Amino acid sequence: MKLNKLWFLPILLMGLMLTGCSNNKEKKAAPILTKSQVIKKSQKAFKSGQVIQSIKLSTDTSSQTIIANTAFGGNNGTIFHINNQTTNKGKTQSSEEWINMNNVFINGGGKWYRADLDTLSGHTYAELVDAIMNNKIISDPSSTLTKAYKMSRKGQTYTLTAKINDKKIMKDACQPIANTVGQSKNQEEIFKRILQYGKYQNMTVKMIVKDNKLVNCNIFTDLKVGKYMTARFGQSYGNLGSHDFMKVPDNALNAKELPTKK
């Protein structure tokens, strides 16, 4: 019996060595991507995620920040869950809303109310979808931007950064934000005038692609408005693919019509 066991031992060791070689082949390192390959992978469409749209207005003595923190996703058309914040002189006002097509459901004092999105805010559902889901900086970057990108790599994580001052690109990046971040028609008109009369300074873009997928993108554009004011328009994307099955909650769907002022 002892001789039989000794005879079997070399065969067992050979089998283990062959298995180890097979595993090494399976763990072959992924190829290092070029900048153009990384940009192409970042352009893949995403169904859901989170985006923070922001406008910051500043002078030497004061500042005001308007933020729309938006989760988006869903199966039958994109649904938006937005937490709005306006901070001025150290005080913050907040509101919560769900948007499904042109219906907006607003949480006011713990109660839900329903209204038409375009009537209430001044922008349509289609404009909101375009601003968030069809961001040209991500999906269709200009040659000026792609040439400006500088790339760094850590393992399978690639970071693209660029700083440009092309007026058309900056205006195209800011316009959708001005069109959709406002909570009223008057507010959106102010943002549009800022873009009309402001002097575009520069835009910074930072994108992170990990394991062949876009995971994060930050876009910020700075303007000078008159002699004393500056403005910063921004969009920050993250948590992509995290809200594919988003639904408007029942308590919001059962909302009453928002009372109108006479």
Side-chain angles (χ1 to χ4, degrees), residues 46-50 72 214 238-245:
F46 42 83
K47 181 179 178 181
S48 68
Q50 184 175 5
F72 59 92
L214 177 68
N239 297 321
L240 300 178
S242 59
H243 300 292
D244 285 0
F245 305 100

Side-chain angles (χ1 to χ4, degrees), residues 98-106 112-121 252 255-260:
W98 287 86
I99 296 173
N100 184 7
M101 301 303 288
N102 200 44
N103 296 309
V104 56
F105 306 91
I106 307 163
W112 287 95
Y113 298 93
R114 180 201 300 261
D116 289 332
L117 176 63
D118 54 354
T119 301
L120 184 72
S121 65
K256 297 179 180 180
E257 291 294 327
L258 183 68
T260 55

